[in-house]
Structures are given as structure tokens and as C-alpha cells.
Amino acid sequence: MDSALSAVTDKLETKMEICRADYRTIAKFIEQLRPTRQCMKILKTQFPHLCASTLLSIFSQEYQKRMKRSIARHHAPDVVKGYYQRYRSEAETRPTAPVLLELANQVDMSPALLARVVVECFVEETEGAVPSRHVLNNMLREPYLIADRLLAKHVEQCTVNDCCYGPLVDCIKHAIGVEHEEILRDKLRDRKLSFLDENQLRAKGYDKTPDIILEVPIAVEGHIVHWIESKASFGDDHSHHTYLNEQFWSYCNRFGPGLVIYWYGFIAELDCQRDRGILLKECFPSDIITLCHGAGQS
């Protein structure tokens, strides 16, 4: 493992369990913020004891909940028309200003989601037809495909400055997820633990599997572990209960008890299913017991 990856894993091994009351305090503070890069500086100043990655994960999840609650209102036909007309008017009078980004903040909508709405309106207006999902996604990923150069510039400003939605965020989240899965595999190799990863399991015909199945189970804090799931996010009530119902319980039923690693921490009270086969950790456990080698070393 190179020095850069070691630095990442050292940071990840900081304890990041948060009690539910403290989480609610953070979530309440987040309600006043917009999904811009500057909001992370505000959060870090307000909660200096938490690492930036944990705060970003919490903010992203809370902001997405807010967007889901309000998305129907933002997509009402008269509201969409109003947003588009406001954008065209502002872009004409202030072409050098980030008017689409400013509008997103004014109406409390994700900049990337507002950009999508405005681009769809523009294409429909200029081409007389609603663009397909594929065409729209391509335009948001590659704004130079948008015929209006000024709109392309404003769309790019929105996607670059939105820390919760958009093609750039999707790419970053995917890369972070892959990176943490590789960190997990490196940890297992370092301990000389035999395992099958998700790709190997799918090749064997499994359709829904955890990230790792241990060929020889281990014990962590007195609990047997047959499988490990890597989550490069913070485990809050909503996400954890969704994962329980859609993934974790089925893993338990099929493979036995397992371990979930929330690399950016979790609400401490959620670690309450150990007796039913689900153990939560915020990093790879330092003390493990293997069938063949006894106590694992840090």
C-alpha cells in the first residue's frame, strides 16, 4: 500500500460515531445551507471535531432529503416556466454573472437540478421537442453540446459548484466507492484473509451479494463475521434502514452474520442489531480473531 493510500486509511480510522441527538443538531444547522462548495467551510467551522468527509456525507444526505420533499413543487409546469423566463431575462441583462447558480440559491434548488430543468426548456423551445433522457444527460456531462454558449457556461458553473447532485458528483461518488472497496481488499490481504469479492461472486452466479464474503469466517468483538459490506458514506437513520431492508437482512439470511463498514461514521444508536447478525464499524476492525491464526494484529 503506497504512502498516499496509507494517509487515507489513517484518516479513515478516526472514530466517527455520532449520537442521534448530536446528529439532529447537525441536521438542523444544515437546513439553512445551500449545496455550494462554500457551505463546507461553514460546516467545518461550526463542527470542527468532525472530519470534512463526514460532514460532506451528512450534508449531502440531508440536502437530498430536502430536495425530495420539494421536488414536486419545483417541477410544477408554471414554476418551471417561471424559472426559465427568469434565467433568460437575467442572462440577457447580466451575461457575465453566474445567474443560473444565483437563481438556484434564491429558489433553494440544487444548481445541477435547476440546470437540467433549464436545459430541457431550452431544447424544447429551440427544437420543438422534449429531449430524451440520454440527450439531456449528455448535455449536462458535456455542456459544449448545448447550442447556446452562454447557457453552456452557466450550466458548467452549476455542475462544478453543486456538491450534492450532477455528473461531476456522480463520478466522484463512484470513484470514492471503488477506492474504499480497494482499501477493504488491501486490509484483508494484509491480514492474509481468504475472501471472494463482488465480481468473483457474480462470476459464480450470485445475483445479490455483499462486497466481500470471507471463505473462512472471523470474529470481531465476540461476533462471527461471514461477510463485509463497504459503504463510503455516513450511516444515518434513513440510509441505514433502507440498506437493512434492501440488502443487509437478505445477506444475513443467505450468508450468515456480517459486518458493515460506514467509512465516514454512523449514528451510534444504529449499532443495535449485533445479536441479529449485523455489526457496524467506522473502519476495518483492528482486533480480529481468525480460525487459523488467533488474534489479528493491528
Side-chain angles (χ1 to χ4, degrees):
M1 189 185 299
D2 61 29
S3 58
L5 192 53
S6 296
V8 171
T9 55
D10 288 344
K11 184 177 181 180
L12 289 173
E13 289 175 355
T14 302
K15 191 172 181 63
M16 281 299 163
E17 293 181 27
I18 302 173
C19 72
R20 186 171 281 115
D22 287 345
Y23 183 88
R24 287 171 178 165
T25 298
I26 298 169
K28 183 69 175 177
F29 183 82
I30 284 172
E31 290 178 4
Q32 65 182 299
L33 301 178
R34 301 291 185 266
T36 62
R37 303 297 171 183
Q38 292 74 22
C39 79
M40 295 314 302
K41 295 180 181 178
I42 299 172
L43 275 174
K44 188 60 183 171
T45 300
Q46 187 71 19
F47 305 102
H49 60 292
L50 297 176
C51 73
S53 297
T54 293
L55 288 171
L56 177 57
S57 183
I58 293 173
F59 176 81
S60 179
Q61 289 168 185
E62 287 298 316
Y63 187 77
Q64 287 170 8
K65 293 174 195 173
R66 184 172 22 168
M67 281 296 95
K68 287 177 182 178
R69 290 193 298 267
S70 63
I71 200 67
R73 170 173 58 83
H74 287 302
H75 279 77
D78 57 329
V79 174
V80 168
K81 183 178 179 181
Y83 288 164
Y84 185 59
Q85 290 175 342
R86 285 177 64 180
Y87 165 72
R88 298 298 282 180
S89 175
E90 288 291 316
E92 184 176 343
T93 57
R94 298 191 298 129
T96 60
V99 293
L100 192 54
L101 185 60
E102 292 174 355
L103 178 58
N105 291 331
Q106 289 167 13
V107 301
D108 191 16
M109 187 177 182
S110 153
L113 294 183
L114 179 60
R116 187 182 190 90
V117 166
V118 169
V119 170
E120 185 172 8
C121 288
F122 170 75
V123 174
E124 187 173 4
E125 179 183 69
T126 56
E127 298 185 9
V130 177
S132 69
R133 185 184 184 91
H134 176 71
V135 168
L136 196 54
N137 287 341
N138 283 342
M139 287 183 171
L140 294 171
R141 278 194 297 266
E142 306 289 349
Y144 69 85
L145 296 173
I146 301 171
D148 186 315
R149 297 295 183 181
L150 185 57
L151 176 56
K153 174 185 173 182
H154 290 150
V155 167
E156 184 176 30
Q157 288 172 342
C158 285
T159 57
V160 167
N161 284 282
D162 194 325
C163 62
C164 294
Y165 286 95
L168 179 60
V169 170
D170 291 341
C171 288
I172 293 172
K173 285 183 176 179
H174 175 73
I176 290 173
V178 170
E179 177 187 31
H180 286 76
E181 289 172 8
E182 184 58 33
I183 290 171
L184 174 57
R185 287 191 288 267
D186 283 343
K187 292 284 190 182
L188 293 167
R189 294 185 191 109
D190 288 345
R191 303 298 179 88
K192 296 181 172 52
L193 297 174
S194 181
F195 65 90
L196 297 174
D197 64 22
E198 191 174 17
N199 293 328
Q200 293 170 312
L201 290 166
R202 285 179 178 170
K204 288 178 175 290
Y206 290 96
D207 57 348
K208 191 173 185 181
T209 69
D211 293 315
I212 295 293
I213 289 183
L214 298 166
E215 294 192 293
V216 178
I218 61 174
V220 177
E221 299 176 10
H223 296 270
I224 300 298
V225 170
H226 287 270
W227 54 268
I228 305 176
E229 179 73 6
S230 171
K231 295 296 183 188
S233 61
F234 183 88
D236 65 359
D237 284 292
H238 176 76
S239 62
H240 182 65
H241 288 128
T242 300
Y243 289 139
L244 277 174
N245 293 326
E246 295 182 358
Q247 297 179 337
F248 303 159
W249 290 132
S250 65
Y251 298 162
C252 279
N253 292 335
R254 193 168 191 178
F255 305 110
L259 165 67
V260 178
I261 301 178
Y262 282 112
W263 294 100
Y264 296 139
F266 57 89
I267 293 175
E269 289 88 342
L270 293 175
D271 190 17
C272 60
Q273 305 287 356
R274 294 186 173 200
D275 292 341
R276 297 182 63 189
I278 297 176
L279 172 68
L280 304 187
K281 298 288 288 183
E282 73 284 349
C283 63
F284 189 85
S286 58
D287 295 317
I288 62 175
I289 297 175
T290 64
L291 183 62
C292 299
H293 304 293
Q297 300 297 315
S298 300

